[in-house]
Structures are given as C-alpha cells and as structure tokens.
Amino acid sequence: MKELDLEKLKYPIGKFIDPEHYSMEYLSEKIKEIETLPEKLTKETIDLTNEQLDTPYRPDGWTVRQVIHHCAESHMNCYMRIKWALTENNPVIKAYDEVLWSELNDNITMPIEPTLELLKGLHFRLGYIMRNLSESDLEKTFVHPSDNSENKLKKIIGMYAWHGNHHLAHITNLKKYKNWK
C-alpha cells in the first residue's frame, strides 16, 4: 500500500486544524457534532455482524469494535479533563496509552451495544456541560503531560468533535469499501 493511501486511511477527514478564532457559532456547531455522534455511530454499526465488527478499518489498524470502544474511552477522558479544568487551576491531566487499552480483552471481544449506550449518556453530558461553559470557562486550561501542552477548553470542543468524526469516517469508509449495508 502506498504511503499516501495509508495516510488517507489513517486520517480520512484530515488532521485536526486549530482555528485562529473560536466563534460561538463554531463552538455551537462542534458541540452539536459531539451530541449527535452516538446516534451516528449506532446507525452505522448496530446491524454489523461480529465478523464485520472484527474487521480492521485499515491494514494494522483497529477493528470497528475497537474503534467504538476507543471512542467511549477517549471521550470519558475528555469529560474528566473538562471537569478538572473547571475545578482546578491548569491541572496536569493523566494520560493513557490508547493502543494498550485497545488491546485489552474488553475492547477486542465485548459487544458494542453497552458501549453505544454509554456513549449516549456520556455525549449528552458532554454537550450539556459544553453548552453551559462561560466565556471565561472556555479559556480555562489543562496540561497534557506527553508534551506539556496547555489546552484550552474551547480547543477541546473542536478537537473532540473532530475525533468523533474522524473515527466515524473510519467506519463509513470501510463500509463503503466493503460494500456493507
């Protein structure tokens, strides 16, 4: 497989681009994307067979099942990071090894239905807390220990909307490629 093709499979919607300005319209649109992700993931995956769920979206990539479980794990971490940023002064958050997590038994074998249900409640809460952030809340930060980067909550909204759409595209592109209904 050519490097360009592999890059397109890895990043089907491109990499996250940090906008110069976070307008309220932009943030509202991104929050809506976050709120509707569970419904979109459910629509795209609920009727897939176990064989289809256990198909990687690219060579050496995660299976559809692992992608679904990863979204829940990643977005649970997002929720906690927001809470820390709102209640502590520029906290250093806890990082996790998403690759190792994806290789755990639950991510490889567990049915997706409980995770899809978890995502519904989690994304309701994410949307709720995000829609109620004040302008000063949007400027609050946390530090990611992997690179000591300071991350504003307004950027996190954009990043996690992108993250959900990124993984949704992994699934929809695989379904198109495999001609799955």
Side-chain angles (χ1 to χ4, degrees), residues 111-146:
I112 62 169
E113 291 82 2
T115 300
L116 292 170
E117 286 300 313
L118 184 153
L119 281 165
K120 285 179 191 173
L122 175 62
H123 279 246
F124 180 88
R125 291 196 69 158
L126 279 168
Y128 192 89
I129 199 167
M130 288 173 174
R131 286 200 183 281
N132 288 286
L133 294 173
S134 68
E135 286 191 35
S136 64
D137 289 338
L138 289 167
E139 298 298 323
K140 290 185 177 183
T141 59
F142 63 79
V143 175
H144 199 291
S146 66

Side-chain angles (χ1 to χ4, degrees), residues 9-75:
L9 288 173
K10 283 183 182 179
Y11 297 99
I13 64 170
K15 294 184 180 181
F16 174 70
I17 297 171
D18 191 10
E20 285 184 32
H21 175 68
Y22 284 87
S23 69
M24 292 314 288
E25 293 77 24
Y26 171 87
L27 292 171
S28 182
E29 177 185 314
K30 297 303 163 191
I31 293 167
K32 184 70 173 163
E33 291 172 17
I34 288 167
E35 290 171 331
T36 59
L37 179 68
E39 178 185 329
K40 292 174 184 174
L41 283 173
T42 299
K43 179 180 174 272
E44 294 298 337
T45 61
I46 199 66
D47 293 323
L48 295 179
T49 66
N50 278 323
E51 183 180 337
Q52 290 169 326
L53 289 170
D54 293 331
T55 303
Y57 71 88
R58 67 171 171 83
D60 299 319
W62 290 338
T63 65
V64 173
R65 184 183 314 274
Q66 286 172 299
V67 168
I68 296 293
H69 296 316
H70 163 73
C71 285
E73 292 166 349
S74 175
H75 296 195

Side-chain angles (χ1 to χ4, degrees), residues 3 39 45 71 85 94 155-156:
E3 192 173 316
E39 178 185 329
T45 61
C71 285
K94 172 86 171 92
K155 178 180 178 182
I156 296 310

Side-chain angles (χ1 to χ4, degrees), residues 90-101:
N90 199 31
V92 176
I93 57 100
K94 172 86 171 92
Y96 72 104
D97 188 329
E98 63 185 33
V99 173
L100 290 178
W101 283 35

Side-chain angles (χ1 to χ4, degrees), residues 1-7 9 58-59:
M1 175 161 292
K2 292 187 288 190
E3 192 173 316
L4 186 60
D5 293 340
L6 186 57
E7 190 70 9
L9 288 173
R58 67 171 171 83

